[in-house]
Each structure stands twice: as C-alpha cells, then as structure tokens.
Amino acid sequence: MRHKFWVLLRLATSDNQQMFIDFHTHRDRQSPDLINVQTLDVKANLQELPNICSLGLHPWFVQPDSWHQSWETLERLANSPQVIAIGECGLDRGIDLPMEVQITIFGKHIELAESLQKPLVIHCVRAFSELISLKKRSKSTIPWVIHGFNKKLEVFYQLLDQDFYFSFGEAILSDHGPMVEAIATIPEGRFLLETDDHPDLKIEQIYERAASLRQVPVAILQTQLVKTYEQLTRLF
Ligand SMILES: [Zn+2]
C-alpha cells in the first residue's frame, strides 16, 4: 500500500512538470494540476490525513496544559507517507506563550523532522536570531523552510546565507517592497510558493507574479518548482 502511494506520488510530480504547488495552505483544494500541501495544526484527536500534508503544533494554538497529548498524536502520524513536511511550527514574539516553552516545543519538531528526514515548515515572528542560533546548534541536515516570509532584505540575505529555504506568498503581490526584490533575486532551488490562509488567493496568481518578477514564463517556473519540491521532500 505504502509502495503504491509513493509510485502514484512520483507519477504525479515527475511525469507532469506543469503542476502548480501550493506549499503551505490551510485549505483542502483539489485540482488535477495542483499539489496542495495542506498544513494541519495537530489536535490530540486527529485521525484522517489529507493526501499530501504538513503536520505541526502552531505556536498560536499551543495550550500549555494539553500540548503533550497533541504532540503524541503528531509523533504517531508524522511517519505516514502523506506527511511530506513537519510544521508549521516555530517561534513568535507577538504571543503570550513564553519563549522558552516555544523553544522547547519547536526543538521537538526539529528532532522529529530530523529523525524522519522531512523538511521543517517554519512560522517565525520577530525571533530570527533565536531561529538562526537554533539551526546552528542543532547541526540539522534537513531543509528549514520559512513560510510567509515578509521582512527586511537584510534579514532575508542573512537567512539565505544560513541555508534557509523560503515559501513566498501574498507579500510578493505588492507593487514594491523587500519581498518583490527577494523573489526576483533568490536563486532557483531555494524557494517555493504558497497561499497560506488567504481564502481568496489562488496559487496561480502567486505563480504569475513570481514568474513575471523573475522574468521567466510560468511553465518554466512550474518545472523549476516541481524540481525544488522533489528535492526538498526527498522524493528522488
Ligand atoms: Zn499558515
């Protein structure tokens, strides 16, 4: 069964290079030309998984007294073949949950992702220096993908330098700003695209904007991102 699933997934990704990939979305959108990586914030009673998903404990929804039960469920499900990444998880300085608790929980995600050799999908708000030092300290070998990145270019280049990957979304639609320059210049192989939790946003719009800023046709961008996706998720 597991083998068959992988064969189907490979066919879906490698034989059709003209797929769109929504690398981080909270929606369950089905379309024959779309790889929809649905991210789920794990609760203790989660059982059914979508075909392709990413699982984590989002720092916004961590309950100090019950996150251990959710964590057990996450650990139990994370090895399923449908789970192509761990997250979203991470650090957020804008919430009440103490930073040391956030670091403990994020540290568990790092260990889990490392043991399964699956990429990490990261939510980070005003805690980039902690993020960089955790990456250095963990000597991690898996890809760390920062989703929805929208910060100063200085931080972007610093993270690029530290081998982070990026998933860009709504921020590249603005007329100008740091993310417009970031998407135009980031090397191929270091980024993917996403819609996150914006109900009216279509991944096709994000692809069109990224292709135009990178001055490549959408079809070429699709081929490049299928390759990046396969590399990041180690399908090949
Ligand atoms: Zn999200």
Side-chain angles (χ1 to χ4, degrees):
M1 188 59 197
R2 187 184 160 117
H3 178 69
K4 193 173 163 207
F5 177 86
W6 280 112
V7 171
L8 287 172
L9 201 57
R10 280 177 188 221
L11 282 175
T13 55
S14 72
D15 287 358
N16 189 348
Q17 301 293 311
Q18 289 351 113
M19 304 286 276
F20 290 100
I21 300 167
D22 192 343
F23 189 66
H24 179 88
T25 174
H26 295 262
R27 283 181 302 172
D28 173 16
R29 187 182 155 208
Q30 308 283 340
S31 166
D33 64 349
L34 174 70
I35 296 173
N36 193 70
V37 183
Q38 194 180 343
T39 182
L40 299 178
D41 178 55
V42 175
K43 298 282 174 256
N45 59 359
L46 177 67
Q47 286 176 339
E48 291 271 308
L49 295 177
N51 284 345
I52 304 176
C53 61
S54 170
L55 300 185
L57 268 53
H58 194 301
W60 288 358
F61 308 118
V62 165
Q63 302 289 337
D65 47 350
S66 64
W67 68 268
H68 288 97
Q69 284 98 304
S70 307
W71 179 261
E72 278 171 26
T73 303
L74 169 57
E75 261 188 330
R76 184 163 44 76
L77 294 174
N79 199 23
S80 313
Q82 296 99 310
V83 180
I84 61 98
I86 302 301
E88 72 183 280
C89 54
L91 307 173
D92 192 325
R93 213 175 271 297
I95 59 175
D96 289 341
L97 192 68
M99 189 46 72
E100 64 230 58
V101 178
Q102 296 192 39
I103 289 178
T104 302
I105 298 174
F106 182 46
K108 290 175 83 70
H109 285 84
I110 298 169
E111 281 171 27
L112 179 64
E114 193 70 40
S115 74
L116 298 171
Q117 290 291 294
K118 294 183 181 185
L120 268 178
V121 179
I122 299 163
H123 165 102
C124 186
V125 176
R126 291 190 281 135
F128 287 100
S129 56
E130 285 87 350
L131 185 65
I132 290 172
S133 67
L134 280 170
K135 185 169 189 292
K136 283 185 184 159
R137 239 184 299 147
S138 70
K139 300 196 168 56
S140 171
T141 58
I142 48 160
W144 289 38
V145 188
I146 299 179
H147 104 83
F149 186 74
N150 187 9
K151 284 288 289 179
K152 287 187 291 192
L153 276 177
E154 194 189 330
V155 181
F156 169 67
Y157 288 119
Q158 202 186 352
L159 293 164
L160 202 56
D161 215 38
Q162 297 294 330
D163 295 328
F164 282 89
Y165 293 77
F166 296 85
S167 175
F168 293 107
E170 197 197 18
I172 68 166
L173 296 178
S174 65
D175 290 338
H176 46 76
M179 290 311 97
V180 170
E181 186 175 332
I183 187 68
T185 56
I186 188 169
E188 187 194 330
R190 296 290 295 277
F191 74 98
L192 287 163
L193 300 172
E194 65 174 50
T195 59
D196 198 7
D197 55 359
H198 302 285
D200 301 326
L201 198 56
K202 287 226 157 78
I203 193 65
E204 290 84 346
Q205 282 172 262
I206 305 283
Y207 266 73
E208 269 161 36
R209 177 69 172 152
S212 120
L213 290 166
R214 293 177 68 77
Q215 301 184 313
V216 292
V218 169
I220 300 285
L221 183 64
Q222 284 180 306
T223 308
Q224 292 172 345
L225 296 193
V226 165
K227 197 167 135 204
T228 304
Y229 175 76
E230 288 172 351
Q231 283 167 348
L232 286 187
T233 55
R234 318 249 169 152
L235 292 175
F236 293 89

